[in-house]
Amino acid sequence: EDSATFTIPGVALGDMVMCAPGSDLAATGELIMSASVSAANTVTIRLSNVHASSAADLASSTWKLWVGRPSW
C-alpha cells in the first residue's frame, strides 16, 4: 500500500473526492484506490496493488482529482 498527500487550496473536511490515475498506472493491473480530504487544504490518496508482483508507484503518476462539496 502507498499513500501521498497533496495540497489543494480550498478543500475542506467533509468534501467528497474522486481520483483517477494517469494511463501509466492504469496499465499496471488491478488497483484499489481512494482519496479523501484528510485536513483543510489537504487530500490524501491511497493506492493498493492487488498483484504485489507488479509495481505501482503513486508518486510517479499524474492524478486527476474531482472535489465536490455536498449541499446537505
Side-chain angles (χ1 to χ4, degrees):
E1 185 170 307
D2 195 9
S3 66
T5 58
F6 302 90
T7 300
I8 311 291
V11 299
L13 291 172
D15 288 353
M16 298 180 296
V17 183
M18 294 187 321
C19 64
S23 59
D24 55 329
L25 278 184
T28 303
E30 295 181 44
L31 302 175
I32 299 171
M33 63 198 85
S34 66
S36 62
V37 177
S38 52
N41 302 315
T42 305
V43 171
T44 299
I45 297 176
R46 290 179 181 80
L47 177 68
S48 296
N49 191 348
V50 175
H51 300 291
S53 61
S54 58
D57 183 14
L58 187 149
S60 70
S61 186
T62 300
W63 287 82
K64 294 179 183 176
L65 298 173
W66 293 270
V67 179
R69 184 161 292 148
S71 61
W72 53 62

